[in-house]
Amino acid sequence: MATIVSTLFISLDGVVEIDPAWHFPYFDAHMGAAVGEDYEDVDVLLLGRGTYDSFAGAWPDREAAGGEDATFAAQLGDTRKVVATRGDQDLGWRNAEKLRGDLVQAVSAIAAEPGVGKILVPGSISVVRQLLAAGLLDELRLLVHPVAARHGMRLFDEGEPIYPLRLLRSEIFPTGVVRLVYAPGEVPGAQAYEDVTDKVPGAGQG
């Protein structure tokens, strides 16, 4: 089965609906390298329709323009892209296809395809939420900006159950951005306050 990875830019208050005003000032070479690592060895990009439209509206033109970002733009164009959409219109970018049927079942089928080792989900919040709920997400990679956005769509919605996560690695960039890479985890145990009174500051000194 392929590894399914989510990569997201996020504010301290959990907003993942990116505002250029608070995102690009923090985009430096360290963040660029982290993004490059996320896109290494990707066999399939899994995209929600909104994220796909954003990508398709920008990267083909950047590839054609031949600027400094053209190499990455060409990489995106060459990668197989599966788009979760209810629309019937042509997607209009090479190597793009519509996801058919139920998202969870379709993604599970793609992950089981021979030759597919890594599926990357950039942005695409509704897709990420469904994968989290279904237990299909193997890694959640967050680039946490040192800013409270105060408005915009947040990663986690209201609901049950909780999502315990296990920190795989972390990195702090000079801008104050923190890169956090999580995998699904478990709550360390069933404890109440009475079970931790010996950990309270000053315990045992009375």
Side-chain angles (χ1 to χ4, degrees):
M1 292 290 288
T3 299
I4 303 176
V5 176
S6 163
T7 178
L8 292 161
F9 304 118
I10 187 170
S11 68
L12 282 175
D13 53 345
V15 173
V16 284
E17 185 177 355
I18 299 305
D19 183 339
W22 62 256
H23 170 55
F24 287 112
Y26 294 98
F27 200 106
D28 63 356
H30 295 84
M31 189 182 291
V35 171
E37 180 186 319
D38 289 345
Y39 281 82
E40 285 179 359
D41 303 318
V42 170
D43 298 296
V44 177
L45 287 175
L46 176 62
L47 301 149
R49 186 58 196 250
T51 299
Y52 175 80
D53 286 345
S54 174
F55 276 35
W59 289 110
D61 290 340
R62 292 169 182 167
E63 180 181 357
E68 289 186 325
D69 53 0
T71 297
F72 183 63
Q75 177 185 342
L76 293 177
D78 292 341
T79 302
R80 178 185 175 191
K81 294 168 284 293
V82 178
V83 185
T85 178
R86 295 184 178 90
D88 295 325
Q89 61 268 44
D90 180 68
L91 293 173
W93 192 9
R94 70 181 187 275
N95 299 315
E97 63 192 72
K98 298 172 185 175
L99 183 143
R100 304 295 181 183
D102 175 77
L103 183 137
V104 171
Q105 292 178 357
V107 172
S108 297
I110 294 169
E113 289 180 11
V116 177
K118 181 178 177 181
I119 299 171
L120 184 68
V121 190
S124 309
I125 308 310
S126 63
V127 172
V128 173
R129 286 176 173 176
Q130 292 178 71
L131 296 178
L132 278 168
L136 285 182
L137 200 64
D138 295 297
E139 288 190 13
L140 179 63
R141 301 183 180 184
L142 305 175
L143 286 162
V144 184
H145 295 50
V147 59
R150 303 188 66 192
H151 62 85
M153 183 182 295
R154 287 169 168 77
L155 172 57
F156 299 108
D157 54 0
E158 297 285 336
E160 299 287 347
I162 65 170
Y163 295 136
L165 300 170
R166 174 170 56 92
L167 184 65
L168 299 180
R169 58 187 184 276
S170 63
E171 185 178 1
I172 301 173
F173 300 157
T175 57
V177 169
V178 180
R179 188 188 191 203
L180 301 172
V181 180
Y182 291 100
E186 297 180 356
V187 175
Q191 296 188 113
Y193 178 74
E194 292 75 15
D195 301 307
V196 299
T197 53
D198 59 328
K199 310 296 190 305
V200 172
Q205 296 181 13

